[in-house]
Amino acid sequence: MTEQQSIHGVWTKRWTFILAATGSAVGLGNIWKFPYMTGENGGGAFVLIYLLFIAGIGIPVMLAEILLGRRGRASPINSMHKLADEARSTPFWGGIGWLGALAGLFILSFYSVVAGWAVFYVYLMASGTFTGQSAEMISGEFGNLVSDPGRLVDWHTLFMAITVAVVANGIHKGLEMAVQLLMPLLFIMLLVLLGYSATQESFSQSLAFMFRVDFSRLSETAILSALGHSFFTLSLGMGAIMAYGAYMSRQQNLASTVVTIGLLDTLVALVAGTVIFTIVFGNGLEPGAGPSLMFQTLPIAFSQLPGGVVLGTIFFVLVTAAAWSSAISLAEPAVAWAVETLGMNRGVAALIVGVLAWFLGVACALSLNIWSDVTLFNNNIFDFFDKLTTNIMLPLGGLLICLFVGWVMDRAIVRGEVDIDHPTIYRVWFFLVRFVSPVGVAVVMFNKLMG
Ligand code: TRP
């Protein structure tokens, strides 16, 4: 088959897909969300289930999602239409793309608010606000931010603007350099923090919390959260990875790529969690504090490290960059579709998606203070968008992707696209995609919805 190309371009270097996909995967989900979910769900048992979902569902689904993109060579919506057509199946499979574009918009809204907090912490760190403060004062600072609608909206706006700016310029500029330079720096900073944690007395308590498995602490909600988060953290189920797959060259080996991304992503989350719980236990903080956790703990570590003002500033810049390379991928499916199908200019499309997500984000920001009594299905607006996407839309998208790749697509095409040379590994993957992942997702979601 002659190689088809996406109209949005192809990654210029061999490494770029890995970098871009890792940039998408590694983000607030790893550093902010994973630790606080682990804290809320009681530690070790949640971590174990999460790791099982990553290995047994997340990584196989990632391979399936990339292959759809690479075969379709278009935005997720149009790729799915093409592939459904190729398989002589119903155009309703395009729904995977629509569901994903909508999920991306919803996630981008609250994601940008949280990324705005990270930007604000760059400022707090750089201005030396925390110097000489007690742990209590440092962790109290977060409350001041969240209760101030104006500040929340300002920093959210700034973050959304830098996201739109890059998406508007296409995938090549900005992203490639940022990911190649900033991601490795983020890993290094996390290792510095890990080194600091290892010198603290509470380090062993943190390890015990994260890795000692006590199933009596595991609720059904925790299982669904672990499943949802395994999709969230790997950027699966909404077409982000599919959109990036469309720009991937055929020479690249899919299997080793997805395993690399999965390992890197998991490593970042585990290190971030270990660091954060060391600080939690060392300072008598609450593991189940929720979304504030990272912002209340890490500045304490920096206030105790030599050169903490500089290191802390750099760290939050890198967190912002990681959030930004993830946010780009949230917008990409919708933008790519508008460019292809509506013939819209890329800049205009990026602006429209950004403005829509900005409005929803403002609602999320206000739901943390002046609109805190507005509820949707018993959640404030922020939590509603978070749970709707993480626990329902992403797993549902993943389920449909598995059904399509496992049951609808021509087997020979799937075999040809997935260049796993080893027949047994291929069979294991196909089995996971056909049976294990869809059944797993269906059982967890169904149980929870019924329960
Ligand atoms: N994976 C990113 C993180 O962990 C967030 C993200 C980017 C995402 N693109 C996505 C989540 C697509 C779900 C779907 O921060």
Side-chain angles (χ1 to χ4, degrees):
M1 185 183 124
T2 57
E3 175 149 11
Q4 276 196 45
Q5 284 208 354
S6 143
I7 62 164
H8 311 284
V10 173
W11 304 114
T12 41
K13 292 189 216 86
R14 195 171 170 278
W15 273 94
T16 315
F17 174 81
I18 296 199
L19 288 168
T22 310
S24 168
V26 175
L28 296 170
N30 308 64
I31 303 168
W32 162 71
K33 206 170 187 210
F34 172 75
Y36 92 71
M37 290 178 84
T38 302
E40 280 181 339
N41 291 298
F46 174 83
V47 173
L48 178 68
I49 299 287
Y50 161 79
L51 293 175
L52 290 177
F53 283 144
I54 292 280
I57 299 184
I59 290 180
V61 170
M62 184 186 277
L63 214 169
E65 193 173 327
I66 298 174
L67 101 82
L68 291 175
R70 200 168 68 165
R71 176 94 192 160
R73 285 275 180 248
S75 68
I77 294 171
N78 290 327
S79 284
M80 287 313 302
H81 277 137
K82 272 202 226 173
L83 296 176
D85 204 41
E86 183 179 62
R88 284 183 294 281
S89 185
T90 129
F92 285 124
W93 289 106
I96 294 178
W98 287 106
L99 180 75
L102 198 63
L105 188 70
F106 289 169
I107 296 174
L108 184 57
S109 69
F110 69 85
Y111 203 83
S112 169
V113 173
V114 179
W117 303 346
V119 187
F120 178 64
Y121 270 69
V122 172
Y123 161 77
L124 281 182
M125 276 288 162
S127 59
T129 311
F130 297 128
T131 318
Q133 286 196 349
S134 67
E136 214 176 4
M137 289 159 81
I138 296 174
S139 63
E141 189 67 45
F142 186 78
N144 298 338
L145 167 63
V146 170
S147 58
D148 183 342
R151 266 204 285 187
L152 287 180
V153 171
D154 288 349
W155 295 103
H156 158 57
T157 306
L158 178 63
F159 181 82
M160 193 65 88
I162 57 176
T163 301
V164 168
V166 185
V167 178
N169 281 305
I171 55 168
H172 298 299
K173 290 179 215 146
L175 185 61
E176 293 193 1
M177 186 218 70
V179 180
Q180 289 185 46
L181 183 70
L182 301 179
M183 294 287 290
L185 280 177
L186 180 66
F187 289 124
I188 293 171
M189 282 298 300
L190 282 167
L191 292 180
V192 169
L193 285 170
L194 188 64
Y196 157 85
S197 306
T199 67
Q200 303 296 109
E201 254 173 62
S202 50
F203 187 59
S204 53
Q205 224 178 323
S206 169
L207 290 178
F209 182 74
M210 292 261 305
F211 299 108
R212 192 167 293 160
V213 177
D214 173 1
F215 280 112
S216 69
R217 293 193 177 184
L218 203 65
S219 63
E220 248 161 46
T221 315
I223 299 176
L224 179 64
S225 302
L227 177 73
H229 188 64
S230 69
F231 283 94
F232 187 95
T233 191
L234 293 176
S235 303
L236 299 177
M238 58 76 57
I241 290 294
M242 203 189 298
Y244 280 4
Y247 316 142
M248 184 182 188
S249 107
R250 288 184 60 84
Q251 273 81 47
Q252 215 158 358
N253 185 288
L254 280 184
S256 63
T257 304
V258 296
V259 172
T260 308
I261 298 169
L263 286 176
L264 282 175
D265 187 81
T266 305
L267 197 66
V268 172
L270 294 178
V271 172
T274 306
V275 170
I276 285 175
F277 288 113
T278 303
I279 303 162
V280 166
F281 295 121
N283 293 279
L285 301 170
E286 195 37 64
S292 62
L293 192 67
M294 155 192 169
F295 296 94
Q296 294 184 311
T297 50
L298 293 182
I300 296 177
F302 289 116
S303 78
Q304 293 169 4
L305 275 170
V309 169
V310 175
L311 288 182
T313 306
I314 296 175
F315 179 79
F316 280 101
V317 168
L318 297 173
V319 171
T320 305
W324 171 69
S325 59
S326 300
I328 291 168
S329 73
L330 288 164
E332 182 64 20
V335 170
W337 174 79
V339 172
E340 276 166 18
T341 301
L342 308 178
M344 216 180 254
N345 170 292
R346 195 169 236 285
V348 176
L351 193 64
I352 292 175
V353 171
V355 168
L356 288 174
W358 181 84
F359 273 108
L360 294 176
V362 168
C364 291
L366 298 184
S367 77
L368 301 174
N369 39 67
I370 51 179
W371 289 358
S372 59
D373 46 2
V374 180
T375 55
L376 294 163
F377 299 93
N378 296 322
N379 287 290
N380 69 22
I381 301 171
F382 187 108
D383 292 342
F384 172 76
F385 279 120
D386 180 7
K387 288 187 184 152
L388 173 68
T389 51
T390 307
N391 293 351
I392 299 175
M393 294 174 89
L394 300 180
L396 187 62
L399 174 72
L400 294 172
I401 287 170
C402 288
L403 293 179
F404 187 79
V405 173
W407 299 90
V408 178
M409 266 176 103
D410 185 299
R411 295 249 191 130
I413 292 180
V414 175
R415 186 77 185 92
E417 286 287 331
V418 182
D419 40 11
I420 300 180
D421 301 325
H422 206 293
T424 315
I425 299 183
Y426 178 80
R427 263 188 245 123
V428 169
W429 169 76
F430 200 54
F431 180 76
L432 290 171
V433 166
R434 248 164 100 80
F435 298 103
V436 177
S437 304
V439 171
V441 171
V443 167
V444 174
M445 282 182 68
F446 191 72
N447 241 327
K448 174 65 186 154
L449 294 180
M450 297 296 108

